[in-house]
Amino acid sequence: MRHIIIGAGPSGVVAAETLRKADPAAEIYLIGDEPEPPYSRMAIPYFLVKKVTEEGTYLRNASHYAEQEIAYISQHVSSVDTQAKQLGLADGSSLPYDKLLIATGSYPVAPPIPGIDLPNVHSCWTLEDARQIASLAHEGANVVLMGAGFIGCIILESLKMRGVNLSVVEMGDRMVPRMMDEKAGGLLKKWCIEKGVNVLTSTKITAITEVGDEDGSGMSVALDNGDSLPADLVITATGVKSNIAFLEGSGIETKDGIVVDDYLQTSVADVYASGDVAQGKDLSTGEYHVQAIQPTAVDHGRIAALNMAGKQVKHHGNINMNVLDTLGLISHSFGLWMGVDGGDSVEIYNPDLYKYLNLRFGVDDQADILVGASTLGMTQHIGVIRGLIESKTHLKDWKAHLMQDPTRIMEAYLASTQVLDNIV
Amino acid sequence: MQKSLHLDPAKCTGCLQCELACSYEKLGEFNPSRSLIRVFTFHFEGRFAPYTCTQCDEAWCQRACPVDAITMDLATGAKVVNDDKCVGCKVCTISCPFGTVNYVQETGKVAKCDLCGGDPECAKSCPTGAITFIDANLTGYERMQAYAEKSLPSAEASA
Ligand SMILES: Cc1cc2nc3c(=O)[nH]c(=O)nc-3n(C[C@H](O)[C@H](O)[C@H](O)COP(=O)(O)OP(=O)(O)OC[C@H]3O[C@@H](n4cnc5c(N)ncnc54)[C@H](O)[C@@H]3O)c2cc1C
Ligand code: SF4
């Protein structure tokens, strides 16, 4: 049996390891097209602040793949022939497979505004991007970050810590609009401004022009409110798209990402997909979406691999969840953080202390089930929110306790699960 | 035979010796707020429950870590955070569905129970036997772990 995994990000690496465990005798190939050994995009912000070296971003140590008998191939896969069950590689060679996993992730997209292709406009997606940014984002440099979504906010901290003059331009009416409500997003903005970041919401960048400094690095960033910002570096964090172009003609069904069933199999037999490239099930809504987060990528990788090894493991879905550390202010969002129509919710909102907690419950027979949450300024026992949402635990009387004091989420969990089933 | 922590809330009096012992072992000071085992109080019922990591087989925290900073101690089965590798991204803290990996702002890294290398201080300090460290198959811990994992869709079928 030959398993091939295309894409050596976290999803592909976890899949390869799971396959090795589940199918000890199989041949396993892991193919990645970036020049570095498999690494984690998530570690890039820490590389930018020199908390880790490049090597610190690697997913596993150098000898790991050999030890696990995972054959790593550094190549771009240019085509997939699902009839002949083989891959075409960029060097012209081909490689047959029995089972295939596509874990090719996503790539950053930027809006088509004038100047977006200038040399000092970069996305922050790969290690190569990070090197470019590190060479330009020196102390005192003018840096404009385009987009204050999840990825924008993640890199915001590292840019600020490098001592640049940072402006963030977001077209939504608040920071991280897809992860935070007005209150949390508003507090985050206030916090960033207090820390010296110039935050512009409800604002669009309309053009970037070179202003002809001697070294050619100076740019001017035009805004739709008529103002402009000077910039030595512009970083785009304006969304990603799935890496599916190479699948054209393969017969594998794609929409935003690769369409998969509840076993993470694609529309073609023996071909699976996982991670940022897959439109997996969202546990909260039952719908199929690209989630583009690390926990989903690794859960997918594991489940897809078990199915490739013939174990028939259903993917029940992942909830969307995020954690952000923005210059010391920690925030989270889980599941249906915006709530559901008619569902109860409870919140603590203390803007002076930058504290916020909002729990959202379901409706009808789910009225005592937690379906979503957002937090600001909390760090303890936070994962239990995932546990409660995913397990759809009926909180019974503990819902009323939580409506009184939502901080007792861990007690609610303990009292509602096995550990203390004798406590009401 | 691998051992595991056996937690019996019925025996816990809420004296917090375990929290003191844990923080002293880990930090060299008595600082219960940073203990890796926590005692939760149920005022209405006058009950207490010690709780910490169950060292899952297929640990969510370990799988989610982007830099391989959480590894298994082969001797004890504990999932251990390696401080020199941890970048403090906190993804493990949201991934652990039991809420037992916590971010520590003072260190910029996360902390979780590591069974003290096989001789847990909490168990030694507990005067009532609410926390004991015994053969894994006697603790009911597996049952507890199995229950917890069964209730979670993302846990299905350990490899
Ligand atoms: C700066 C940054 C910070 C982030 N922080 C967080 C965070 O805090 N929390 C979080 O949950 N998520 C975070 N993310 C998102 C997270 O990194 C992704 O969800 C995760 O990387 C998805 O893993 P993956 O394996 O599906 O895809 P990827 O990591 O993108 O890996 C896919 C690999 O496949 C390769 N590939 C693509 N096409 C081909 C081909 N045809 N042939 C061969 N190889 C190919 C790609 O080059 C890539 O190396 C962050 C992302 C970035 C950029
Ligand atoms: S906080 Fe540390 S241990 Fe946890 S996932 Fe991030 S790097 Fe790994």
Side-chain angles (χ1 to χ4, degrees), chain A residues 20-31:
Chain A
R20 177 49 72 228
K21 237 171 143 178
D23 195 351
E27 252 188 298
I28 301 169
Y29 285 89
L30 178 64
I31 310 179

Side-chain angles (χ1 to χ4, degrees), chain A residues 113-122 136 205-222 228-234:
Chain A
I113 56 166
I116 200 79
D117 295 324
L118 287 174
N120 292 338
V121 179
H122 291 283
L136 294 165
I205 293 179
T206 53
I208 308 166
T209 43
E210 271 175 321
V211 289
D213 269 7
E214 272 149 35
D215 61 358
S217 70
M219 293 177 286
S220 172
V221 174
S228 67
L229 299 166
D232 302 300
L233 166 66
V234 175

Side-chain angles (χ1 to χ4, degrees), chain B residues 65-67 69-70 81 86-92 110:
Chain B
C65 178
V67 293
I70 301 179
V81 179
C86 173
V87 293
C89 74
K90 310 169 198 64
V91 154
C92 54
V110 295

Side-chain angles (χ1 to χ4, degrees), chain A residues 112-417:
Chain A
I113 56 166
I116 200 79
D117 295 324
L118 287 174
N120 292 338
V121 179
H122 291 283
S123 56
C124 182
W125 195 249
T126 61
L127 264 180
E128 177 53 25
D129 291 337
R131 286 179 209 119
Q132 300 285 341
I133 291 171
S135 75
L136 294 165
H138 44 80
E139 211 173 325
N142 291 315
V143 177
V144 175
L145 177 60
M146 184 173 190
F150 177 54
I151 299 295
C153 282
I154 285 216
I155 53 184
L156 182 153
E157 166 164 283
S158 41
L159 292 169
K160 184 70 195 156
M161 283 166 74
R162 291 181 66 94
V164 307
N165 292 323
L166 183 62
S167 296
V168 183
V169 184
E170 163 62 43
M171 59 183 198
D173 65 358
R174 58 182 184 272
M175 294 179 78
V176 267
R178 284 191 292 163
M179 149 173 181
M180 281 185 197
D181 59 19
E182 290 81 359
K183 281 181 184 154
L187 276 186
L188 185 63
K189 177 174 172 180
K190 187 165 158 253
W191 174 270
C192 288
I193 291 171
E194 269 174 23
K195 300 276 168 186
V197 180
N198 178 24
V199 184
L200 304 168
T201 47
S202 302
T203 308
K204 269 188 198 166
I205 293 179
T206 53
I208 308 166
T209 43
E210 271 175 321
V211 289
D213 269 7
E214 272 149 35
D215 61 358
S217 70
M219 293 177 286
S220 172
V221 174
L223 307 176
D224 64 349
N225 62 12
D227 289 347
S228 67
L229 299 166
D232 302 300
L233 166 66
V234 175
I235 299 173
T236 58
T238 43
V240 293
K241 279 195 173 157
S242 296
N243 272 321
I244 48 179
F246 73 106
L247 296 175
E248 234 187 81
S250 69
I252 297 169
E253 189 188 349
T254 58
K255 286 183 187 152
D256 290 337
I258 299 175
V259 175
V260 291
D261 65 13
D262 288 350
Y263 299 87
L264 296 174
Q265 188 162 203
T266 68
S267 62
V268 173
D270 297 331
V271 181
Y272 296 75
S274 68
D276 277 13
V277 78
Q279 257 175 270
K281 192 180 201 162
D282 184 314
L283 184 83
S284 300
T285 60
E287 289 164 14
Y288 294 77
H289 291 296
V290 171
Q291 280 181 339
I293 53 171
Q294 173 101 358
T296 299
V298 294
D299 283 353
H300 276 183
R302 175 170 163 270
I303 292 175
L306 291 172
N307 282 298
M308 290 166 78
K311 303 247 180 213
Q312 283 276 318
V313 176
K314 196 164 174 179
H315 176 240
H316 294 269
N318 281 92
I319 64 166
N320 219 332
M321 55 183 186
N322 294 120
V323 51
L324 268 178
D325 187 340
T326 316
L327 301 164
L329 181 60
I330 294 165
S331 55
H332 302 90
S333 75
F334 290 90
L336 302 171
W337 56 268
M338 67 311 268
V340 287
D341 272 352
D344 284 330
S345 76
V346 53
E347 72 170 30
I348 294 178
Y349 177 57
N350 192 335
D352 296 334
L353 295 177
Y354 289 99
K355 282 231 184 303
Y356 182 61
L357 170 63
N358 189 327
L359 302 181
R360 305 279 190 176
F361 298 92
V363 286
D364 303 330
D365 61 340
Q366 311 228 318
D368 67 341
I369 290 178
L370 191 70
V371 298
S374 35
T375 81
L376 216 58
M378 260 179 76
T379 53
Q380 298 297 295
H381 314 298
I382 210 76
V384 82
I385 295 176
R386 174 191 193 178
L388 281 172
I389 296 175
E390 265 202 16
S391 59
K392 303 198 168 143
T393 298
H394 286 282
L395 294 161
K396 300 190 186 133
D397 293 350
W398 271 90
K399 180 186 170 188
H401 295 329
L402 287 176
M403 292 297 287
Q404 292 280 319
D405 181 357
T407 63
R408 299 193 73 206
I409 187 88
M410 192 68 189
E411 287 87 343
Y413 165 77
L414 289 173
S416 308
T417 56

